[in-house]
Amino acid sequence: MGHERIGYLPKSKKWRDIVDEIANFTANSDTIAQIANHTTKNLIERYNNIEVDNGVLASFKFLILLSQAPRHKNPSEFLAKQGIQLPTNFNLLGLSRAIREFINSSSESKEYSAFANHALIETVSQWTKQSQIQKSIQFDIDKNSFDEWRTAADGSGFCELSRMFFSNFTDNYLRYFLEREASAKINNLFDRDTFNKKLDEHVNEISKHAFETSKITQSFSAGWFNKNAKDEIPSIEKIQGFVSFCFKKLNSEITREKEFEK
């Protein structure tokens, strides 16, 4: 899979520093380091085999099909043949419902499917809002909802969409494991409540960190889409190969950062 080679990705703020800002009100430096390291360790372990889960693969297939739909004369009919029921004019609520139905029909792991649902719904919401701002069509009641997805139907658009997806996946897992590890290490209920409030204050920094990490997936997404998904529906084997490659690259980047900060 040819792609631009990227070295160690610089981050606006290191993961260890973000955790330090959230937890330094009560935890000592060793405890903070443990929370930061265990969070990334858990994330790395989850990403080792996540690409074999059918629910995760279904979430990415949904993204591909939604990107392809505007290229067809009747997008709703095209999606219906693939098991996705969406009218010509749909809103985010209807799109979210379609996502859940499609992923849950292939669900194996409840955890993976829950994170896949969340990451995909966040992704389509972000893309839709971004498209509406760019095209100023949010108040056009006669618009075709698929118009918002036309720019995703080529490599340049899909690589941005793909990065959003993997960024949201990483963001959700980082927050989940960070909160879980902190709960295990911080025994005082008052301090734990304070940690959760501080966590809410730093969600944007965590999201930014995840987005910067996900750049590792962006450089080869355009080429893969143009070759495998622009004019045809890729096989589940091709989708799994791509998703596996992306999660392995994410794992590599997260591992390098973890080692770099020791």
Side-chain angles (χ1 to χ4, degrees):
M1 187 177 296
H3 61 277
E4 164 194 0
R5 293 190 177 274
I6 298 178
Y8 180 79
L9 295 177
K11 308 293 192 305
S12 300
K13 186 172 290 186
K14 296 178 181 177
W15 176 244
R16 173 66 170 73
D17 292 338
I18 294 174
V19 177
D20 183 66
E21 290 179 6
I22 297 172
N24 67 5
F25 61 92
T26 183
N28 59 44
S29 58
D30 288 341
T31 300
I32 291 171
Q34 288 178 358
I35 292 173
N37 286 332
H38 287 175
T39 299
T40 53
K41 179 176 179 290
N42 286 326
L43 179 62
I44 290 167
E45 288 177 352
R46 284 297 190 277
Y47 280 8
N48 275 336
N49 296 302
I50 195 171
E51 76 279 357
V52 301
D53 183 81
N54 285 335
V56 174
L57 296 178
S59 68
F60 202 76
K61 183 176 181 178
F62 188 102
L63 202 62
I64 293 170
L65 293 172
L66 188 59
S67 300
Q68 291 179 330
R71 299 173 62 88
H72 292 261
K73 184 177 181 179
N74 189 328
S76 294
E77 183 179 291
F78 163 75
L79 290 178
K81 289 179 180 178
Q82 303 303 319
I84 300 173
Q85 303 299 325
L86 274 178
T88 300
N89 288 320
F90 57 86
N91 55 25
L92 281 174
L93 182 62
L95 184 54
S96 297
R97 187 183 303 114
I99 286 171
R100 292 191 184 95
E101 291 174 352
F102 191 76
I103 294 177
N104 291 342
S105 67
S106 302
S107 177
E108 291 179 320
S109 162
K110 289 184 178 180
E111 178 189 303
Y112 284 155
S113 290
F115 278 92
N117 267 303
H118 198 185
L120 185 52
I121 289 171
E122 285 182 325
T123 299
V124 299
S125 176
Q126 291 166 357
W127 181 272
T128 299
K129 291 175 183 176
Q130 177 179 293
S131 178
Q132 288 175 348
I133 291 172
Q134 291 174 345
K135 296 186 177 181
S136 299
I137 60 175
Q138 61 265 45
F139 300 117
D140 183 359
I141 61 174
D142 296 323
K143 72 179 179 67
N144 182 327
S145 297
F146 288 103
D147 287 343
E148 297 165 0
W149 292 90
R150 292 192 183 282
T151 54
D154 60 29
S156 61
F158 186 79
C159 72
E160 183 179 353
L161 188 63
S162 177
R163 180 179 181 177
M164 285 183 184
F165 176 78
F166 288 107
S167 171
N168 286 322
F169 228 115
T170 302
D171 180 23
N172 292 332
Y173 260 121
L174 282 175
R175 290 193 225 174
Y176 170 73
F177 283 124
L178 179 58
E179 186 171 3
R180 197 179 78 170
E181 288 302 315
S183 294
K185 295 289 189 299
I186 302 173
N187 298 319
N188 183 288
L189 290 178
F190 176 80
D191 287 344
R192 192 179 300 171
D193 183 60
T194 303
F195 175 88
N196 289 333
K197 290 178 180 176
K198 294 271 284 185
L199 180 59
D200 289 338
E201 294 173 4
H202 287 76
V203 291
N204 288 336
E205 290 184 6
I206 296 173
S207 295
K208 187 174 184 180
H209 184 87
F211 189 71
E212 290 170 344
T213 300
S214 67
K215 179 175 174 60
I216 200 76
T217 69
Q218 189 175 17
S219 61
F220 48 87
S221 296
W224 182 88
F225 183 86
N226 285 335
K227 181 179 179 180
N228 298 285
K230 186 174 181 179
D231 299 315
E232 61 183 7
I233 300 173
S235 67
I236 196 65
E237 290 77 18
K238 287 184 178 181
I239 293 173
Q240 183 175 1
F242 176 74
V243 171
S244 174
F245 190 77
C246 287
F247 277 117
K248 282 180 171 56
K249 295 299 286 185
L250 284 167
N251 249 354
S252 175
E253 176 63 20
I254 294 165
T255 301
R256 281 193 294 172
E257 182 177 6
K258 185 172 180 286
E259 295 298 320
F260 183 77
E261 292 183 0
K262 282 185 177 180

